[in-house]
Amino acid sequence: MTGNGYNAEDPVDLHGAAPTRPGAAAPPSAVPAERPGPEQLVAVQPPVTADPAMWGWRARLRKVTGGLLKPGPGREEARHRQAEVAVRQHLGGGRLVMVANPKGGAQVSTTALMLTHTFAALRGGPVVAWDNHEARGTLAQRAEVTTPDTHVWHLLGAAEQLTAVGTAGDLTHYLRSQPTRAEVLASDTDPGRAQQIGPGECGRIWLLLGRYFGLTVMDTGDNVRAGNWQWAAGMADQLVVPITLEPDVAQSAAWMLDHLDTRRPDLVAGAVTVVGPATSAAPPALRRQMLAYFAARTALVVEVPFDPQLAGGRPIVHARISEASRRAWVGAAAAVADRLAAQRAPRPDQLPPRTGTATPPTQENHESEQPADTGRPPPGAAHASVTELHLRKAT
């Protein structure tokens, strides 16, 4: 049929070769190697460092010239943009970050909250800060939003129902939503309660949090031999060690690393040390010695500056944090994200089928595993006692 833009086709033999029309070229025997792939239909995005500068004199130059001159970012701005990209990278699985230093005043709660805020603000959630003290902790008191007044024991009272038929919306009854979109799970606040959080309770809480949150940042207590602390050490994917450059704080952290080295050397070797401001500046020689020590024991060392909004134990209002402090915490969160991304967690569809009834995770789960690939040689077994920290030298 002709005259309407259509042409009748000869029938095709489905059981043999299709007939060749007169004048038609023979089909190619193979797909040409130069044929473009579908990925070429998508424009390649330039790196974040290619955008015009937003900081300093470079940004002012762009503004005063009306955009005629668009200098790129300086070194610090470029590094900050790359850090933001690192924070947003794919991590995979429900990840547990353990923030720990048994010395009081080591800024553990501040570090846990600031990492949670930074991850939530840049990733868009869901991220939760879990105050995993065996009794009463102070993390929830540092949060900007302190309602509702529910805590871990209220959550545990509903654990069976939430596990069976609960939803993410039901879980919000027990969490304190922050302006950064971070969530906070408070520790026990009942002064009359004698019961403590142990490994069994931790397992039930983690079963719920891991179901709805891709990233959980845990504030631990001060007793490294407590059941909940040991559970955290066994289950954590990443360790963050907050310190200040004061001998007692640093020695406490070093002792903890020696303790963890006996059962989780992978956790120690891959740890991120976050150095916060001390009440007084350390002498230059002692400062160099402490930084060298933790650089040798852990994977990364990141420093954060003093910020009055973070000092004094008051609630942290994230919007009032200085720009310099905010940028430093992005760097700290990027270091944690890089370490987590280096640990390839298998997807559920890549795991063999499980039989029987699922049970809450316990602290023994990591005991039989091989140490994670941390990108560093395994820690040596000949570490000296940390009680003589001032005599230790980085290797």
Side-chain angles (χ1 to χ4, degrees):
M1 182 169 59
T2 61
N4 58 1
Y6 295 93
N7 291 309
E9 298 281 351
D10 293 329
V12 177
D13 181 5
L14 299 179
H15 301 284
T20 303
R21 298 178 60 189
S29 57
V31 178
E34 64 274 10
R35 174 178 291 181
E39 67 276 1
Q40 296 189 17
L41 300 176
V42 181
V44 178
Q45 295 296 321
V48 292
T49 53
D51 295 336
M54 302 297 291
W55 297 1
W57 65 265
R58 294 175 174 83
R60 292 192 294 270
L61 179 61
R62 177 175 56 85
K63 184 176 181 180
V64 298
T65 61
L68 294 177
L69 296 178
K70 300 179 181 179
R75 179 183 178 186
E76 289 302 316
E77 184 176 359
R79 290 178 61 183
H80 177 74
R81 293 181 185 182
Q82 291 169 334
E84 288 186 325
V85 171
V87 172
R88 296 188 180 105
Q89 67 185 300
H90 176 73
L91 301 178
R95 299 306 192 97
L96 180 62
V97 176
M98 177 185 184
V99 183
N101 185 334
K103 178 70 173 68
Q107 304 177 8
V108 174
S109 296
T110 301
T111 301
L113 258 182
M114 286 303 300
L115 288 175
T116 306
H117 281 314
T118 304
F119 275 115
L122 291 178
R123 296 176 66 89
V127 185
V128 60
W130 172 12
D131 191 346
N132 187 25
H133 281 69
E134 65 269 26
R136 177 182 177 273
T138 60
L139 180 138
Q141 294 179 344
R142 303 296 310 277
E144 180 177 353
V145 177
T146 58
T147 55
D149 60 356
T150 49
H151 50 71
V152 289
W153 284 107
H154 294 110
L155 178 62
L156 286 166
E160 184 176 349
Q161 182 179 1
L162 289 171
T163 302
V165 296
T167 66
D170 294 329
L171 192 63
T172 61
H173 287 292
Y174 309 97
L175 304 173
R176 305 178 184 190
S177 300
Q178 306 300 309
T180 58
R181 290 174 285 186
E183 303 285 351
V184 173
L185 175 61
S187 63
D188 182 15
T189 58
D190 184 358
R193 186 184 300 276
Q195 204 172 359
Q196 293 187 355
I197 296 291
E201 289 81 10
C202 288
R204 290 194 291 275
I205 293 169
W206 175 235
L207 195 64
L208 292 170
L209 295 183
R211 176 178 294 184
Y212 299 108
F213 292 93
L215 184 60
T216 300
V217 181
M218 177 192 295
D219 175 1
T220 60
D222 301 336
N223 184 1
V224 301
R225 295 188 175 95
N228 66 313
W229 203 101
Q230 290 293 317
W231 179 93
M235 287 299 299
D237 298 294
Q238 177 63 42
L239 174 66
V240 176
V241 184
I243 66 167
T244 60
L245 296 182
E246 297 166 308
D248 58 341
V249 177
Q251 286 182 354
S252 177
W255 180 88
M256 179 190 72
L257 293 178
D258 279 356
H259 172 76
L260 286 172
D261 234 349
T262 62
R263 60 177 306 199
R264 290 293 307 276
D266 60 305
L267 203 61
V268 174
V272 173
T273 301
V274 177
V275 183
T279 53
S280 59
L286 181 60
R287 170 186 167 82
R288 288 192 299 269
Q289 188 175 7
M290 289 185 177
L291 292 178
Y293 173 83
F294 286 98
R297 288 298 304 273
T298 62
L300 295 166
V301 176
V302 183
E303 291 192 72
V304 293
F306 172 80
D307 191 313
Q309 182 58 222
L310 304 181
R314 300 184 302 272
I316 296 173
V317 180
H318 190 263
R320 297 175 185 169
I321 295 171
S322 70
E323 193 61 33
S325 182
R326 194 189 307 268
R327 294 170 186 172
W329 281 105
V330 170
V336 174
D338 279 339
R339 300 309 310 165
L340 287 171
Q343 306 170 35
R344 300 300 178 187
R347 302 192 311 264
D349 63 282
Q350 297 172 329
L351 298 173
R354 296 184 62 182
T355 58
T357 304
T359 56
T362 65
Q363 71 270 32
E364 287 80 21
N365 285 38
H366 275 291
E367 295 295 338
S368 60
E369 296 181 1
Q370 295 296 321
D373 181 9
T374 63
R376 291 166 54 91
H383 281 306
S385 170
V386 297
T387 57
E388 299 297 332
L389 177 61
H390 62 285
L391 298 178
R392 300 279 293 274
K393 293 184 179 181
T395 56

